[in-house]
Amino acid sequence: MDAQPLYQRLADHYRRAIQSGVLAPAERIPSVRSLVRTHRVSLSTALQACRQLESDGLIEARPRSGYFVRPRHRAATLPAKEPDPNRPLDPASFVGIHDRVSDFIAKCERHATPFDFALAAASPAHYPADALKQAMMRALRQHPEMLVKRVPPLGHPDLRAVLARRALEVGMNLDPDEIVITHGCIEALNLALRAVARPGDTIAVESPVYFGLLQVLESLGLRALEIPTSPQHGISVDALELALQTHPRLRAVVVVPNFQNPLGCVMPDNEKARLAALCERQQVAVIEDDTYGSLCDDGQLRPAVKAWDRTGNVIYCASMHKTLAPGMRLGWMSGGRWSSRVAMLKFAQSRPNEPLAQAAVAEYMGSKAYDRHMNRLRLQLKRQRTRVAEAIGDYFPPGTRMSLPVGGMLLWVELPGRRSSDQIFELALAQGIRTAPGTMFSNSGRYGHFLRLSCGSDYTSRMDAAMRTLGAIVAAAR
Amino acid sequence: MDAQPLYQRLADHYRRAIQSGVLAPAERIPSVRSLVRTHRVSLSTALQACRQLESDGLIEARPRSGYFVRPRHRAATLPAKEPDPNRPLDPASFVGIHDRVSDFIAKCERHATPFDFALAAASPAHYPADALKQAMMRALRQHPEMLVKRVPPLGHPDLRAVLARRALEVGMNLDPDEIVITHGCIEALNLALRAVARPGDTIAVESPVYFGLLQVLESLGLRALEIPTSPQHGISVDALELALQTHPRLRAVVVVPNFQNPLGCVMPDNEKARLAALCERQQVAVIEDDTYGSLCDDGQLRPAVKAWDRTGNVIYCASMHKTLAPGMRLGWMSGGRWSSRVAMLKFAQSRPNEPLAQAAVAEYMGSKAYDRHMNRLRLQLKRQRTRVAEAIGDYFPPGTRMSLPVGGMLLWVELPGRRSSDQIFELALAQGIRTAPGTMFSNSGRYGHFLRLSCGSDYTSRMDAAMRTLGAIVAAAR
């Protein structure tokens, strides 16, 4: 305990007081001067402690008045609603989402947007650019010939070995030779879908679902069947089981079992096991996208659905895009019983990835520095997500609903009174605030009164002002 | 003239003597000592002159006997046959080539092969690894944030600007915003085919044709219709015109107009113009793969078919894979009237390429160093191609046919007496010599007595011995 810096012990002292209610919301905390006197610490220690409490979202500075306990209105945010179990499924349909998403991207790019709550990535400062740069430089110095030699098949052996080792942590025992390095998770999803389905086939997806997956289905001429998904425990395996009886051309189900995009939910282990068993029995492929799995607040990695796979019926896809380096476009997959078809498709679609980035990431992911980075990133995202959630509680109108995920960087917010999130998106954008309207997360138009807010950036007082503005826009909308 | 180093003037002196026949094939040339005496040059100058003549393929060293004029048997190689104009077309058919190609690759990888005449790339030493490494390092130092930021759409603006400028040299006037950077030319071909065709459609291709394209067609469920292609002037536009009348589901024709793989032929300008006009009239897309275009012996870039495109009916695809950096996997395309569909498919298939390699290549391709590199590479490939062609003349049995391309790195050799190139491939592989059997270059089995030989590597005396062995294997085969 004594190993902690003095300022941190001081901050913890007041943290406990705030959490226990000894210091109430909106109450002034002792001034920096009185902290110096009372605790016999230096001015800089007292200041550091206050800044720590501020960055943890416990206190806030008011100009010329000192620090105050931040007001807590969390009761104002209602929990997210569960999907109605009796709701009939929307029919499986060809996806028509690309124009909507393109329009969204084009509009975002037309406006200068200092406040980005749309991009599902942490801000660049949260990723280890310098360490990766150094690893790239080392790889370039040691093996410049990588730039001019034929690329090794399936991906760099070192990276595949590191990923196989890390896969043990989520319950998967993978042969490195089953691992294919891809251009991000998006290419992995393309290859997985092409391996198991043909144009015209139906694919079951979560609802709401990441719009990028809908675009992939659209581009491949596949039909989407949206399965009700709980904001608490993910896709309804019951609903999927029913759907399998009525949809004979259903070839696969795509799930994001851990910190789903946009819901942030995690499937409980028993549901993962049920899903794996059901799909194995019915000979329907499971395509698992575990892009967010490592971003768990508590550092306890949740198992993959593939951990319950006994026959190669689960294709596992993941990415280093959200965790490590959005600019390096590295993803990977293990194709299960479709491994050789996946390898063929990867070769025919884009050939193996260029080796340099792989060599650098293999070095970094094999080191303790990666674990330290991940721990920092998890804390950072947790803190930011908490602050944005609090701001929603503080500034959004009563009746707003939301569940608070325990990982990832996303919040899925249901606006009260069926306000149009498309309209709110436009109004907010005009104020320099990017959000992601719910209409992009389904082929059905079912989520027109939802917003996805990404919490990837440092929560500054300017961000707080932006959230206040956003809250006012939502409150004023009809 | 006096600016030439002394050794080169000396070498030129004997070059003229050999070319004029003053010194006959197999004749001994004056010893190094007598060169020193006769021409009053230093020993090192005399030696350098001999080495120059040797590397130019004019003389050869025989152990303990000195240098001899290399024997010339070029008359033994007959010119390549033109395709029979009355030969009926093979029916359009789904491609089944992947297993054959996989088997070929697996066999190649099982054998240690010091002599690679199969890989269609120059040896790593011929590419500017060091300059590219330096450019990468600069890009990393200046913009490490590239690694951790969202990637810019369509590709790095600097690279697209450089490519648009370079495109002027092959007669194309492209808007940089029409250019999409891809993972090699193979991804560009995938996107082009997916933009214009659906599974089950028919695509016209050259015959013989690069097996990689056949694999792409196979993986996309497209039918291939092989069009007779002349070893001198490329695809028969007449045959294509006839095919268009009988194949209503023909959606596109894929051509490699410059230094075709495997033939090495170049379409004359008037044929390129006819092809563009015919396809525009018939509303059939032209997909042009210009991967080898810059590898012209004389440095005179041949125009693209797209230079005659008036309505966006030509999709242009190319690559930096053969010219600059096989390990960087960079390609690019301009989608013509399918540009927005191509952009959508690229986004849905793999997202924009990671920017680092693009930044480095943009810098390099924008500099004079790139032009110097290309001039060196062209000379190198010309020399190597000439030497391999001579070795075929020297060592292959009478009746062997071949045309000698004026660019690229490939030779397409017809073996006499319908010898099986599959069998020769296996026998040569057992001797450490990789070749590419003709069966991979068609869906029809029409080229079972052809070999493709790649001339990407320095032609050493050990390579010459390997060619002698290969010739003996061919001669002994039945």
Side-chain angles (χ1 to χ4, degrees), chain B residues 398-421:
Chain B
T400 298
R401 288 179 176 271
M402 178 181 66
S403 67
L404 192 58
V406 293
M409 56 184 86
L410 303 173
L411 291 173
W412 180 244
V413 186
E414 181 173 4
L415 307 176
R418 302 219 138 242
R419 287 160 166 86
S420 154
S421 58

Side-chain angles (χ1 to χ4, degrees), chain B residues 288-350:
Chain B
E288 169 173 32
D289 170 358
D290 199 16
T291 291
Y292 293 91
S294 317
L295 299 177
C296 41
D297 289 354
D298 55 9
Q300 299 295 310
L301 296 184
R302 309 310 195 265
V305 175
K306 192 162 178 68
W308 284 273
D309 181 19
R310 296 172 310 170
T311 57
N313 193 51
V314 179
I315 302 181
Y316 181 86
C317 306
S319 164
M320 287 70 116
H321 194 71
K322 308 289 180 188
T323 49
L324 192 57
M328 292 174 84
R329 299 282 331 130
L330 282 172
W332 64 283
M333 66 192 298
S334 176
R337 60 191 171 92
W338 294 272
S339 282
S340 67
R341 186 160 160 79
V342 162
M344 181 279 276
L345 289 170
K346 169 65 174 157
F347 187 79
Q349 178 165 301
S350 66

Side-chain angles (χ1 to χ4, degrees), chain B residues 13 18 46 70 84 108 117 125 153 180 200 207 219 230 259 295 303 408 415 436-437 441 475:
Chain B
H13 182 69
I18 292 166
R70 294 191 69 233
D84 175 1
C108 284
F117 297 101
V180 180
S207 184
S219 73
S230 152
F259 312 113
L295 299 177
L415 307 176
F441 296 87

Side-chain angles (χ1 to χ4, degrees), chain B residues 84 126 188 221 232-233 267 306 383 409 436:
Chain B
D84 175 1
H126 298 342
Q232 290 303 324
H233 29 263
M267 290 178 74
K306 192 162 178 68
R383 186 181 302 156
M409 56 184 86

Side-chain angles (χ1 to χ4, degrees), chain A residues 347-363:
Chain A
F347 187 79
Q349 177 165 302
S350 66
R351 298 283 185 269
N353 282 41
E354 59 293 343
L356 178 68
Q358 298 180 65
V361 166
E363 187 208 299

Side-chain angles (χ1 to χ4, degrees), chain B residues 422-440:
Chain B
D422 279 342
Q423 191 197 335
I424 288 163
F425 159 73
E426 302 258 8
L427 291 168
L429 200 58
Q431 306 278 329
I433 303 166
R434 270 187 204 167
T435 60
T439 44
M440 296 198 300

Side-chain angles (χ1 to χ4, degrees), chain A residues 246-285:
Chain A
T246 49
H247 290 80
R249 300 197 60 184
L250 210 159
R251 289 284 174 265
V253 53
V254 182
V255 288
V256 181
N258 300 318
F259 311 113
Q260 196 256 9
N261 178 356
L263 290 169
C265 54
V266 174
M267 290 177 73
D269 287 1
N270 65 327
E271 291 294 291
K272 288 175 180 166
R274 275 184 71 207
L275 176 67
L278 168 68
C279 290
E280 187 180 306
R281 214 161 51 235
Q282 304 272 345
Q283 292 280 296
V284 166

